[in-house]
Amino acid sequence: MDIFSIFTLCGGLAFFLYGINLMSSGLEKVAGGRLEGLLKKMTSNPAKGFTLGTVITAIIQSSSAVTVMLIGLVNSGIMNLSQTVTVVVGTKIGTTVTAWLLSLTGLNGTTGMILKFFKPESFTPILALIGVIMIMASKNNRRKNVGTIFMGFAILMFGMTVMASSMSPLAHRPEFANAMLKFSNPIFGFMIGLIVTIIVQSSSASIGILQALALTGGVSWGVAIPIILGQNLGACVPPIFASIGVNTNAKRVSGISVIYDILSVGICFPMFIILHMIFNFAFVKTDISPFGIALFHSAFNIFAAFMLLPFVKVIENLSIKFIPEKAEKEDKSVLLDERLLLVPTFAVSECYKQTVKMAEIVEFNFINSTKMLKSYHAKKAEQIQKNEILIDRYEDKLDSFLLKLSGKDLSEEDSNKISQLLLAIGDFERIGDHASYMLKIAKKLKESERKLSGEAVEELKVIVHAVSEIFMVTLESYKTDNLQLAQEVEPLEAVIKKLIRKVKNRHIQRLKEGLCTAELSFMFSDLLNDLRRVAAHCGNIATSVIQLYDKSIDKHEYNHRNKDEDIEFVNRYENYKSRFSVSKNKPEEGAIV
């Protein structure tokens, strides 16, 4: 094997690693909402967690990536430690899929039309051509992502073929045969598998290298098995690095991965050596194929998983014991850990969940601020002020995270969702600001011991009731991506604007007649402005929900269209107009002022 063969090997490895990355990225984008749906089912139920870990890893083709993602989830407080144990176990089986795909390279010596079709050099050029056509010609992003998967797989298999061809001369070299004899020492083989996996940071990649080497025909089962076991242990190293700088519970997720790998390899490796010493397995001296490597890799991981699944609580407790709580109080909680950026589709989903949490805090502040106009409570006011600081923190962290996320390679769906999130976060934060402004007015009314006129109070009740309804409808439409509810917001907003204009005109008349003081007039006017702006921000949020369903909608054109020609809008408008009217000088049922 000369220097040029080494260059070819390195090039093949580069293609191989890039192909894995490209295919995984395409699979993740195509999974899109399905992956998000799976993640939402993440519970402490062992069977669900195990299945979930297996499926997600099979989709994104990296057990290390999923484990790092779990570390980020626990560090953000989104998951607790016990939920991650069976997921980690499941990832070990999910990662074996790549080895089975790579085992197709072992069909090189087969004959027959059907088997010949499954040889990589037969079908990967076709996949590459289809992939390129889909990427270049299709306007549909989903088809482009499917094309990316085809291209990724074709590049991966090409890299595998290049690596195999660069190593093929080794089969006829006596030096290679002597080297394989040294590898027959199980401890030496185990260490080689461990070191290579640590270097390439991927057990799938190191398994692929071993499968390419096996195509030379000089690798026996006795050599391959210890290497595969070393590769499985090496897969726990990336999560160790990922756990640097996180809270104790997040470090324990890495601990669970390490303990599981040590136990699984620590039990199976000595078991293989002892059984071989007793029974002297004849097959260990025979050559192993890429298919055999995939088979043993899967068999080992399935056996280890079902052997250790009954002891997941023990593994969790060991992790807690080896990584105890720090004596000093930790304050490393974060809204969104940057490790979540590893899987952008998932990160978008978690940003949405955090935005909903922020919106629920805004809901508390808005409802209680309006109640304060009727009866002021100092303790409740203090809670609202604390919440306002928290809302600002949510906005700052989410905006920063989403801007980083927008720089990732995203599907069209995720890109649109990020745009919606960024707009909605700003609108919810502004609603929280207006709630704080109303609280200050309520405090002034309390301290001045002055009261609005009876007519002004009744008018305010109607408007507060209407604005409360538009906020609740908006929040529910945003939480559930409900188009029908989102379409209710615009006509109600129009009714509120008209109500406020009418009330302002009446208020000016009362001011002229001396029925209201100048100071109270300013406070009343400020309240009306705050309520009008809350309704306007609700309109913005509802429009962003509608835009998710119809991406062709332009916000400005949509808001300024001729609404008289929109029959549904007119019907909804008339319905709300009949419900909220200041001509009725009596309190609305359930009014909060």
Side-chain angles (χ1 to χ4, degrees), residues 7 54 89 105 152 187 194 220 239 241 310 426 447 456 499 524 574 579:
F7 288 162
T54 304
V89 177
T105 53
I187 303 299
L194 176 66
S220 68
F241 292 130
E447 291 172 347
L499 270 174
F524 186 70
E574 291 299 328
R579 287 181 55 199

Side-chain angles (χ1 to χ4, degrees), residues 568-582:
E568 288 187 5
F569 176 89
V570 172
N571 290 337
R572 290 184 179 113
Y573 176 83
E574 291 299 328
N575 176 49
Y576 284 121
K577 185 179 175 183
S578 65
R579 287 181 55 199
F580 302 106
S581 173
V582 291

Side-chain angles (χ1 to χ4, degrees), residues 2 38 48 55 66 92 96 121 198 209 227 252 374 495 518 529 533 541 557 589:
D2 57 19
L38 285 170
K48 286 183 180 179
V55 171
V66 177
K92 307 301 179 179
T96 62
E121 59 264 35
I198 291 172
I209 294 169
I227 293 175
R252 288 169 178 167
K374 180 179 180 181
V495 169
N529 287 335
R533 286 167 184 160
I541 296 166
E557 290 178 2
E589 185 180 349

Side-chain angles (χ1 to χ4, degrees), residues 507-576:
H507 176 66
I508 291 169
Q509 187 60 38
R510 287 195 296 270
L511 191 60
K512 289 178 179 178
E513 294 172 1
L515 299 175
C516 181
T517 66
E519 186 181 358
L520 284 174
S521 174
F522 284 128
M523 284 192 253
F524 186 70
S525 181
D526 286 343
L527 278 174
L528 293 177
N529 287 335
D530 286 324
L531 290 166
R532 179 180 62 79
R533 286 167 184 160
V534 167
H537 288 298
C538 288
N540 291 340
I541 296 166
T543 302
S544 72
V545 174
I546 293 169
Q547 284 178 309
L548 280 180
Y549 284 87
D550 188 351
K551 299 172 184 65
S552 65
I553 288 176
D554 179 85
K555 182 179 176 181
H556 180 77
E557 290 178 2
Y558 180 78
N559 290 337
H560 292 85
R561 73 191 187 283
N562 186 354
K563 299 179 180 66
D564 293 334
E565 296 178 358
D566 188 335
I567 297 173
E568 288 187 5
F569 176 89
V570 172
N571 290 337
R572 290 184 179 113
Y573 176 83
E574 291 299 328
N575 176 49
Y576 284 121

Side-chain angles (χ1 to χ4, degrees), residues 18-32 34-35 59-61 135 141-153 344-345 409-411 414:
Y18 178 67
I20 287 180
N21 182 270
L22 197 62
M23 185 176 71
S24 299
S25 175
L27 284 165
E28 180 198 327
K29 289 175 185 175
V30 169
R34 294 184 184 88
L35 180 58
I59 290 172
I60 66 175
Q61 284 301 290
I135 292 169
N141 275 327
R142 187 171 182 82
R143 291 195 189 98
K144 286 181 182 287
N145 292 330
V146 172
T148 301
I149 295 170
F150 288 164
M151 277 300 299
F153 182 73
T345 296
D409 187 18
L410 300 165
S411 65
D414 286 338

Side-chain angles (χ1 to χ4, degrees), residues 366 370 373 460-469 531 592-593:
F366 174 74
T370 55
L373 295 169
L460 199 56
K461 284 180 180 179
V462 174
I463 294 171
V464 167
H465 190 187
V467 176
S468 296
E469 178 156 338
L531 290 166
I592 58 177
V593 175

Side-chain angles (χ1 to χ4, degrees), residues 212-464:
L213 191 62
L215 288 171
T216 63
V219 181
S220 68
W221 281 84
V223 169
I225 289 174
I227 293 175
I228 294 170
L229 293 174
Q231 289 167 332
N232 277 272
L233 183 60
C236 72
V237 174
I240 293 175
F241 292 130
S243 66
I244 296 171
V246 298
N247 62 35
T248 300
N249 260 350
K251 283 186 172 71
R252 288 169 178 167
V253 177
S254 175
I256 287 169
S257 179
V258 173
I259 291 167
Y260 175 84
D261 284 334
I262 290 173
L263 287 175
S264 59
V265 174
I267 292 170
C268 293
F269 191 25
M271 185 186 296
F272 166 73
I273 293 173
I274 292 168
L275 289 175
H276 179 48
M277 289 173 65
I278 295 172
F279 298 104
N280 192 23
F281 298 128
F283 72 87
V284 298
K285 295 181 180 179
T286 61
D287 290 345
I288 192 170
S289 66
F291 175 82
I293 291 171
L295 181 65
F296 180 79
H297 183 48
S298 295
F300 161 71
N301 280 289
I302 292 169
F303 173 74
F306 285 98
M307 176 179 63
L308 294 175
L309 267 176
F311 305 100
V312 289
K313 198 64 185 175
V314 175
I315 294 172
E316 181 185 348
N317 290 335
L318 283 171
S319 178
I320 293 170
K321 183 178 180 180
F322 290 129
I323 309 173
E325 290 284 357
K326 291 183 179 179
E328 67 275 11
K329 186 178 179 181
E330 287 188 306
D331 186 22
K332 291 186 178 179
S333 59
V334 292
L335 289 178
L336 288 160
D337 193 288
E338 292 197 9
R339 291 162 185 81
L340 302 181
L341 293 170
L342 187 67
V343 186
T345 296
F346 177 77
V348 171
S349 171
E350 290 309 314
C351 284
Y352 169 72
K353 291 177 185 177
Q354 293 295 337
T355 306
V356 170
K357 288 181 181 179
M358 172 188 175
E360 287 170 346
I361 299 170
V362 172
E363 176 190 10
F364 175 92
N365 277 16
F366 174 74
I367 289 173
N368 285 282
S369 291
T370 55
K371 286 181 178 180
M372 291 288 195
L373 295 169
K374 180 179 180 181
S375 179
Y376 186 86
H377 295 283
K379 285 187 178 180
K380 190 73 73 175
E382 186 180 347
Q383 182 60 52
I384 292 171
Q385 289 164 351
K386 287 180 180 178
N387 281 351
E388 176 57 23
I389 295 170
L390 184 57
I391 291 166
D392 289 340
R393 179 171 178 253
Y394 266 98
E395 182 197 29
D396 180 54
K397 297 295 183 182
L398 282 166
D399 278 350
S400 175
F401 189 87
L402 285 167
L403 287 173
K404 291 177 183 177
L405 186 56
S406 62
K408 298 290 182 179
D409 187 18
L410 300 165
S411 65
E412 184 182 19
E413 182 184 351
D414 286 338
S415 184
N416 290 333
K417 192 70 178 177
I418 287 175
S419 298
Q420 184 211 31
L421 286 167
L422 286 167
L423 293 171
I425 289 163
D427 284 307
F428 280 125
E429 192 277 334
R430 291 300 296 153
I431 292 172
D433 286 343
H434 290 299
S436 294
Y437 301 154
M438 288 189 286
L439 177 65
K440 290 176 183 177
I441 294 170
K443 187 177 181 181
K444 285 181 183 178
L445 286 170
K446 170 74 172 176
E447 291 172 347
S448 67
E449 297 183 350
R450 293 179 181 179
K451 294 183 179 179
L452 297 169
S453 66
E455 189 177 354
V457 168
E458 295 306 323
E459 290 168 349
L460 199 56
K461 284 180 180 179
V462 174
I463 294 171
V464 167

